[in-house]
């Protein structure tokens, strides 16, 4: 397992939709292991492969209170989203130092290929649902701030740039 660097915004890989995964291989498992290590090192709730420069539809999510409960997802897609919404302060290691409150469905049913190659349909609630939706956005070439108005998005990116220039 290697902790990988997250690409800085506005790297074009962050805007490029990821390619589907055909099968779970040793290489895919190694990427997932690196992703879990990277996610744990930054104390985040999830990570998508494009964030570390891998253009595959791979994500990991772990919202447990005690680490070690990561769910490994290949080709995740939302099948159903609840009408009930939840606000959560979201951020990304690709644009450090800033965050924004994003409104997303409180519960989602997601279909994905699991680590054993099986196709799974699983319901995610609350923070788990927020994180898995956030990762699916990354796989489609979207960032959390794309859910903001154009003005708020520009302000957030400008604030992150000012922080970057100070360091």
């Amino acid at each position: 397992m290697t902790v990988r660097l997250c690409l800085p915004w506005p790297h074009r890989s962050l805007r490029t939709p990821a390619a589907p995964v055909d099968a779970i291989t040793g290489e895919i498992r190694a990427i997932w292991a690196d992703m879990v290590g990277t996610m744990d090192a930054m104390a985040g709730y999830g990570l998508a492969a494009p964030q570390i420069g891998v253009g595959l539809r791979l994500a990991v999510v772990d919202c447990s209170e005690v680490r070690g409960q990561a769910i490994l997802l290949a080709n995740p897609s939302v099948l159903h989203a609840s009408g009930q919404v939840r606000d959560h302060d979201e951020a990304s290691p690709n644009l450090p130092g800033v965050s924004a409150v994003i409104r997303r469905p409180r519960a989602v049913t997601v279909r994905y290929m699991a680590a054993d190659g099986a196709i799974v349909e699983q319901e995610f609630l609350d923070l788990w649902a927020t994180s898995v939706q956030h990762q699916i956005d990354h796989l489609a070439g979207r960032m959390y701030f794309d859910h903001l108005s154009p003005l708020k998005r520009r302000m957030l990116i400008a604030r992150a740039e000012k922080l970057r220039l100070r360091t």
Side-chain angles (χ1 to χ4, degrees):
M1 184 232 13
T2 302
V3 173
R4 300 217 195 168
L5 294 175
C6 291
L7 300 175
W9 173 259
H11 195 284
R12 76 174 192 190
S13 293
L14 298 171
R15 286 297 196 196
T16 304
V21 173
D22 296 324
I24 305 304
T25 63
E27 180 183 1
I28 296 298
R29 287 186 183 91
I31 294 168
W32 268 330
D34 289 355
M35 290 172 66
V36 169
T38 303
M39 172 185 65
D40 287 346
M42 66 181 181
Y45 294 120
L47 191 70
Q51 292 181 268
I52 59 170
V54 177
L56 295 172
R57 289 188 58 78
L58 297 171
V60 296
V61 177
D62 190 347
C63 302
S64 58
E65 291 184 23
V66 178
R67 287 298 180 158
Q69 307 299 314
I71 297 175
L72 312 176
L73 306 100
N75 305 325
S77 62
V78 175
L79 298 176
H80 174 74
S82 71
Q84 189 177 25
V85 294
R86 174 179 187 277
D87 292 342
H88 185 74
D89 195 34
E90 296 187 31
S92 175
N94 306 102
L95 192 68
V98 295
S99 64
V101 174
I102 305 298
R103 177 168 284 184
R104 296 184 187 267
R106 181 181 168 270
V108 291
T109 302
V110 175
R111 176 184 290 142
Y112 63 94
M113 188 183 325
D116 63 1
I119 302 300
V120 175
E121 290 183 11
Q122 182 173 347
E123 184 174 25
F124 293 91
L125 298 171
D126 297 323
L127 184 55
W128 287 88
T130 297
S131 183
V132 78
Q133 291 172 83
H134 182 111
Q135 306 322 315
I136 290 171
D137 275 356
H138 276 300
L139 298 176
R142 292 190 306 264
M143 299 286 288
Y144 73 93
F145 53 75
D146 291 328
H147 294 274
L148 300 173
S149 70
L151 176 61
K152 286 184 180 181
R153 184 179 322 131
R154 282 192 303 274
M155 290 171 54
L156 182 110
I157 293 170
R159 192 165 61 244
E161 181 63 16
K162 283 181 186 176
L163 289 171
R164 186 187 69 76
L165 292 174
R166 280 191 219 165
T167 57

